[in-house]
Amino acid sequence: MTATSTVTGTPDKPPIAEPPKRRGGILSKIAQPYKQSHGIQRFMLVTGTLVSLLFIFMAIFAPLIAPFSFDTYQSDGVRFPTQGEPSDLNPWGTTVQGFDVMSRTIYGARTALEVVVLAVAFSLAIGVPLGLISGYVGGWVDRILVLIMDALFAFPYLLLAIVAAFLLTNTIDSGIVVTAIAITVVYVPQYFRVVRASTLSAREATYIEAARAMGARPRTIIGKYLFGNVIQSVPVIATLNAADAILTLAGLGFLGLGIQPDEAAEWGYDLQRAISDAGAGIWWTALFPGLGIVLAVTALTLVGEGLNDVLNPTLRRRRVKKPVISSSAVGPASAPEVESEVG
Amino acid sequence: MSAPVATKNLIEVRDLQVHFGLNTSFKSRLTGRGGASVKAVDGVSFDLAEGEVLGLVGESGSGKTTLGRALLGLVRPTAGSVKLRGEELVGQPERALRPKRRHLQMVFQDPHASLNPGMTLQTALAHPLQIHKLTSGNAETEAKVRETLELVGLYPTERFATSYPSDLSGGQKQRAAIARAIITGPDLVVADEPVSMLDMSVRAKILDLMIDLKHRIGLTYVYVTHDLASAKFFCDRVAIMYLGRIVEIGTVDEIFENPKHPYTQALIRAIPEPNPDKALPRDLPRGEIPDAARPPLGCAFHPRCPKAFDICGWESRDMRAILEQRWVEGGEDLYNAERPLVGDLEKLDEAGHDAFVPAGSGKDPGALLAMLEKIREEEPDEPLWKGVNAMNAEAHGVRIAFEPGIDPPLYDTDSSRAACLLYKPE
Ligand SMILES: Nc1ncnc2c1ncn2[C@@H]1O[C@H](COP(=O)(O)OP(=O)(O)O)[C@@H](O)[C@H]1O
Ligand code: SF4
Ligand SMILES: [Mg+2]
C-alpha cells in the first residue's frame, strides 16, 4: 500500500509571510494573453486586435468619420453621379445607385458590429445556460438537447441562416435583429457543445461534490461553482464565431435577405450590387466593401487563433494528469476507471 | 486512546449496498439498466456512537470512499439503510436530504481539487452558512468565518479570508476544507484520506487539528484511510474493508494486538517498521485486488489468502491463475512443455465451482489430467488443492469439481468480529 501521490509544496506554516497575491481586475485578465504570448503569436494577437479596434472605432464614430450618410445620394441639392469615379467629393467613388462608396463602407462596419454583437450576445445567452444545464443535469434532458443541437449543427450553416432569416423577416421589423437571430441559430450549437463538454469535466471536480455536500441546490451549483470555471473556454470561440458571423452576414446580405437596403449599409449587399460593375472596369464599388469583409474577418480570426494558441496550451498543461504506475508486487491494483451515470 | 463515552448511536448502517451499473452493452446504455455492475459497497453494517472515531481501512478500490459518500447521501445506495439519530436517510429525495447536510460533512482526499479555484476563503466558507441560513446578516457571517478560520489554525484570519486556494499550500488548503466542513456545526465528519496527498511534514499536524476539533466542538469522525498506522493513532474503532465488505471490525486494541482476519494480519505485518533492526519481512497478500465487478466466489479474499482451506470458495478462475502463475515462475521450458496440453484458458473465466479445463487441440485429456496431478504433487501447499473434490478426464478436457464455498458473514471471535471461515462456529 502506497500513498497515491505526494504533493510537494511549501510546508504548512500558518502565518504566511507575504500577503496573498491580489487578483487583478478584469483589465489584467484581458491583458494576460498579450503578456503571455511572444513571437509570431504576439504579432498575430496584436495586429488582429489593432485592426479590430480600428473597425470598432469606425463603426462607433461612423457619422463623424464618413463624409455622408449611407443613404445620401446628393450634396447641396446636386445628385452624385452613378458609378462615378473617385473624386474630391466622393473619394472612393459612387455606386450604381449613386451612393457614396466610402460612406457606405464605413457605415457597413457599424452594421457588422451591431449584428455581430447582438448575435454573440444571443448565442451566449442561449448556448451557455443550455450547455451548463445539459452537462450538469444529464439524463434525458441532456439527450434531447444534444439531439437538437447536433441536428442544427449538421445543417449547412448558410442554409440554416437563410431559412431562419426567411422565416423571421415578416415577424420582426428590424433587419439587424432578424439577421442577428439567424446567425444565432447557426452558432448556438457551438457554444452549447463547448460549454457542455467543459461542464461534463468540471462536474466531476471535487469542489462540485463539496458544494453538493454542503447542501447547495443544483441551480446554485451551476451559477456559483460551474459557471465561473466553465466560461473561460468561451472568449476564444466567441471571437472566432464573430469572424464567421461577418461572413454569414455578408452571405445573407448578398442574397438580399435580412437587412433591407434602406435600413443600413451592408457590405454583402453592396458586393452583390457591384457584381456587374467589375466587368465594366468599375473597380471601386466592389473593392472597398470587399476589403471591409476580408480585413474584419482576418482581424477577428487573428485574435481568436492567437487567443487559442496562448490560452489552450496552458489549459492543456493544467489538465495533464500524472500517469499512475501500479506494480502488482507492491502497489494496489489500480481500480478500473468506470464512468458514472449521474441521473 | 481512551474509550469513548458512548451515549447513543449517531449513525446506524445496515446492509448498505452501492452497486454501480457498468452499462456495457449498447442496449443497457440506451435504456440505462441491465449490464454488469461494480459492487463498490456490498452489504455493510456498523454502528457509530456519538463522539467516536471509526477508521475505514483498506486498499485502494475497496469501496471506502464510496461508503463514506453513501453515508452522506452523495451517492445513492442501491439497498440498505443509514439512520442518523434514528432517522432513515436512504431513499430520501435530494431535496429532503439538503437540510440534513449541515449535520453530515465530508473532507475530501484532494485538497487541491476540493476548493473552488474562483472563490476566496471568505466566500467559500460563507456559502454553507448562507445555504442553511445559520447567520443573519453579513457581519455575523463574516465573524463566524473568521472564528472558524482561527479554529483551524489559519491566522491572521483577515489575510486568509481574502486569499484564493491557489495562494495556499496543500496543508493550508486542507485546513480550509476542514473549516468549510465544520462551519455548519456538523455531528459527523467523513474524512476521506485527508492527509494522503499532503507532505509528510504536515500530515501529523492536520491529524492533530482533527483530534483537537473533535474535543473542542464535539465531532464524530469516519476516518477513511489506506494507512493502518495512522488509523491506530487516530481511531477508537477500526473497520477493515475488502472488495466492498467489512472483513473485520473491532477496537483499535483488538485489531492491532490480536488481528483475526488473515487480511488484517497481512496489513498489519505490512506496516513499515521505523526501526530497521526490528523490521520483519514485508508480507503483503499475494496477487492483486480482484475486479470488483466479478468478485471471487465464497470468501472474496480466498485467492490471496495464505490460510485458505477447502470451503473458502475455490473455483475455475483460481485454476487459471495457478497455471499462469506457475508458467511465469517456471520459465520458458516449463511453459513450452505444459502450455500446449491446455486449450483456451478463457474457458476458465466463467466463475463456477465446476470447472472445465479444455485440452489443447489434438492433445489427450489424459495427459492434461496427468499434468494437473503432477502440479498438485509438486505444490502440495497450494491451498487451492484443498478445495478440489475430484478431477476427471472427459472427452475434450478435464473436469474439476471444487468444494462449494461459503461466503462468510462477520463472525464473533474472542475479540473483534471477522468475516473469515476460520471463526465459523461449529
Ligand atoms: N461513480 C462511480 N461509478 C462507477 N464505479 C465507481 C464509482 N465510484 C467508485 N467506483 C468503483 O467502486 C469501487 C470502489 O471505489 P472507491 O470507493 O473509490 O474505493 P476506495 O476509496 O477504497 O479506493 C472501485 O472499483 C471503483 O472503480
Ligand atoms: S474465509 Fe478466512 S481462511 Fe478462508 S479465504 Fe477467507 S480469510 Fe482466508
Ligand atoms: Mg478513495
Side-chain angles (χ1 to χ4, degrees):
Chain A
M1 292 198 284
T2 50
T4 24
S5 91
T6 303
V7 179
T8 47
T10 47
D12 203 37
K13 40 171 163 46
I16 39 175
E18 83 272 38
K21 287 160 267 163
R22 290 259 154 228
R23 296 288 168 101
I26 198 147
L27 276 180
S28 82
K29 271 228 169 94
I30 292 176
Q32 197 188 345
Y34 296 90
K35 284 192 215 137
Q36 277 176 14
S37 62
H38 30 74
I40 190 109
Q41 270 179 7
R42 182 173 230 159
F43 175 76
M44 277 167 60
L45 251 180
V46 171
T47 316
T49 311
L50 287 180
V51 177
S52 304
L53 286 176
L54 188 75
F55 270 94
I56 293 172
F57 181 82
M58 229 160 76
I60 294 174
F61 298 104
L64 302 179
I65 301 170
F68 307 101
S69 175
F70 66 90
D71 54 358
T72 306
Y73 52 87
Q74 59 180 17
S75 167
D76 300 330
V78 185
R79 279 187 165 249
F80 299 145
T82 58
Q83 299 177 320
E85 282 195 40
S87 64
D88 285 346
L89 185 63
N90 306 111
W92 292 353
T94 59
T95 71
V96 68
Q97 292 155 297
F99 296 131
D100 179 54
V101 173
M102 186 181 204
S103 305
R104 283 192 70 82
T105 306
I106 292 172
Y107 270 92
R110 175 170 256 218
T111 309
L113 183 71
E114 283 171 355
V115 170
V116 166
V117 165
L118 269 183
V120 168
F122 288 165
S123 313
L124 285 175
I126 299 171
V128 172
L130 286 185
L132 277 166
I133 292 170
S134 199
Y136 184 71
V137 176
W140 60 267
V141 176
D142 182 44
R143 274 170 230 197
I144 290 176
L145 281 172
V146 167
L147 198 73
I148 296 173
M149 292 297 168
D150 279 357
L152 284 181
F153 197 76
F155 256 89
Y157 70 97
L158 194 56
L159 189 62
L160 193 61
I162 290 170
V163 172
F166 187 74
L167 291 177
L168 289 167
T169 302
N170 292 327
T171 45
I172 298 174
D173 283 340
S174 161
I176 302 254
V177 177
V178 168
T179 316
I181 295 178
I183 292 173
T184 302
V185 175
V186 175
Y187 295 112
V188 158
Q190 294 189 18
Y191 292 96
F192 172 82
R193 283 182 161 199
V194 170
V195 171
R196 177 178 173 274
S198 38
T199 306
L200 278 181
S201 62
R203 185 182 77 176
E204 301 302 322
T206 313
Y207 64 86
I208 299 297
E209 180 157 33
R212 257 187 83 208
M214 69 173 74
R217 294 160 190 281
R219 206 183 327 135
T220 322
I221 293 178
I222 291 177
K224 273 188 109 151
Y225 291 81
L226 279 173
F227 180 76
N229 293 295
V230 159
I231 203 71
Q232 289 164 9
S233 50
V234 165
V236 172
I237 18 166
T239 322
L240 290 175
N241 279 350
D244 230 42
I246 290 180
L247 281 179
T248 311
L249 166 69
L252 286 175
F254 193 88
L255 296 170
L257 285 162
I259 295 164
Q260 300 308 307
D262 55 353
E263 193 183 343
E266 205 284 310
W267 295 331
Y269 172 81
D270 285 0
L271 264 189
Q272 197 266 331
R273 297 306 304 246
I275 284 183
S276 48
D277 298 352
I282 303 166
W283 50 268
W284 54 90
T285 48
L287 177 70
F288 296 105
L291 264 182
I293 294 172
V294 170
L295 284 179
V297 170
T298 311
L300 283 171
T301 308
L302 284 178
V303 177
E305 293 292 349
L307 283 179
N308 202 16
D309 278 359
V310 181
L311 296 180
N312 278 355
T314 59
L315 281 182
R316 242 177 273 133
R317 211 178 305 137
R318 236 182 282 148
R319 290 209 183 108
V320 165
K321 284 189 190 147
K322 272 186 226 145
V324 179
I325 302 163
S326 92
S327 115
S328 55
V330 267
S334 57
E337 284 286 330
V338 186
E339 251 190 71
S340 65
E341 277 276 318
V342 178
Chain B
M1 191 141 295
S2 61
V5 241
T7 43
K8 56 184 171 186
N9 284 336
L10 178 68
I11 297 275
E12 286 174 7
V13 180
R14 290 293 172 271
D15 301 317
L16 193 67
Q17 261 185 19
V18 184
H19 294 185
F20 292 109
L22 279 179
N23 285 350
T24 37
S25 74
F26 179 69
K27 180 167 164 272
S28 64
R29 240 175 230 275
L30 214 60
T31 58
R33 59 179 76 90
S37 67
V38 175
K39 296 172 177 166
V41 176
D42 194 25
V44 164
S45 305
F46 62 86
D47 291 336
L48 196 54
E50 211 138 339
E52 193 179 21
V53 181
L54 173 70
L56 291 180
V57 183
E59 284 168 281
S60 154
S62 54
K64 311 178 297 289
T65 300
T66 307
L67 175 54
R69 295 174 68 213
L71 290 182
L72 273 60
L74 289 175
V75 56
R76 277 199 175 273
T78 37
S81 141
V82 176
K83 286 190 176 148
L84 169 67
R85 297 189 201 284
E87 194 183 354
E88 181 61 57
L89 298 180
V90 174
Q92 297 228 34
E94 184 83 19
R95 197 172 312 130
L97 284 179
R98 253 178 248 138
K100 303 205 175 72
R101 297 226 190 269
R102 60 168 288 219
H103 305 296
L104 305 168
Q105 278 295 319
M106 186 147 178
V107 175
F108 296 88
Q109 179 170 13
D110 183 356
H112 308 281
S114 72
L115 298 167
N116 186 346
M119 275 188 181
T120 61
L121 294 194
Q122 172 70 42
T123 322
L125 295 194
H127 199 207
L129 295 174
Q130 289 154 358
I131 290 171
H132 297 285
K133 303 193 173 61
L134 297 178
T135 48
S136 49
N138 287 341
E140 195 185 336
T141 306
E142 187 161 330
K144 178 78 185 166
V145 169
R146 297 294 164 88
E147 183 193 317
T148 311
L149 282 175
E150 177 126 26
L151 204 55
V152 299
L154 290 178
Y155 40 77
T157 56
E158 60 276 12
R159 212 177 268 171
F160 279 98
T162 53
S163 50
Y164 284 86
S166 56
D167 305 330
L168 307 180
S169 72
Q172 289 166 344
K173 281 182 202 169
Q174 200 59 301
R175 282 173 195 268
I178 291 173
R180 180 181 58 192
I182 62 168
I183 199 163
T184 56
D187 301 311
L188 173 71
V189 171
V190 174
D192 184 10
E193 313 209 23
V195 296
S196 70
M197 296 184 80
L198 301 179
D199 269 2
M200 277 300 176
S201 56
V202 298
R203 289 185 180 184
K205 284 190 204 166
I206 297 289
L207 288 180
D208 279 339
L209 169 70
M210 288 175 60
I211 292 178
D212 183 43
L213 289 173
K214 170 180 134 86
H215 294 306
R216 286 169 74 168
I217 57 178
L219 292 175
T220 305
Y221 284 117
V222 169
Y223 173 64
V224 172
T225 182
H226 61 243
D227 175 16
L228 204 50
S230 75
K232 183 176 185 178
F233 162 75
F234 191 55
C235 302
D236 302 315
R237 275 197 308 149
V238 172
I240 309 288
M241 288 193 69
Y242 190 76
L243 279 188
R245 300 269 185 94
I246 291 180
V247 294
E248 181 163 2
I249 182 165
T251 64
V252 166
D253 289 344
E254 288 168 347
I255 298 286
F256 284 88
E257 301 305 323
N258 194 2
K260 295 295 185 188
H261 198 283
Y263 181 57
T264 317
Q265 292 166 355
L267 289 182
I268 287 179
R269 275 198 302 276
I271 296 178
E273 169 62 54
N275 179 351
D277 294 336
K278 282 204 284 179
L280 296 166
R282 305 269 299 266
D283 176 16
L284 277 166
R286 64 174 180 174
E288 302 179 1
I289 293 201
D291 182 356
R294 305 168 65 239
L297 302 181
C299 171
F301 186 54
H302 81 255
R304 303 170 73 187
C305 181
K307 298 194 178 165
F309 55 109
D310 53 353
I311 56 172
C312 290
W314 297 102
E315 44 143 322
S316 45
R317 287 173 293 174
D318 301 321
M319 192 68 233
R320 176 177 181 170
I322 294 292
L323 289 175
E324 286 179 339
Q325 174 83 10
R326 172 180 167 85
W327 292 334
V328 167
E329 283 168 5
E332 207 170 331
D333 291 341
L334 186 73
Y335 178 81
N336 290 337
E338 294 188 349
R339 181 67 187 88
L341 291 175
V342 189
D344 186 2
L345 280 174
E346 283 174 17
K347 290 271 190 303
L348 289 169
D349 285 349
E350 186 74 32
H353 293 303
D354 180 52
F356 182 74
V357 187
S361 64
K363 299 293 179 189
D364 176 19
L368 174 60
L369 179 61
M371 178 192 103
L372 290 172
E373 292 289 3
K374 191 182 97 195
I375 297 175
R376 182 179 196 161
E377 268 162 39
E378 281 175 17
E379 299 168 25
D381 294 337
E382 169 54 54
L384 170 117
W385 300 114
K386 296 182 195 156
V388 175
N389 285 344
M391 287 201 288
N392 293 308
E394 289 183 1
H396 301 290
V398 172
R399 188 162 299 280
I400 306 178
F402 286 103
E403 176 74 29
I406 298 175
D407 184 1
L410 280 170
Y411 295 114
D412 286 322
T413 72
D414 54 18
S415 58
S416 61
R417 281 154 56 76
C420 169
L421 294 165
L422 293 170
Y423 307 99
K424 181 169 163 303
E426 288 311 314

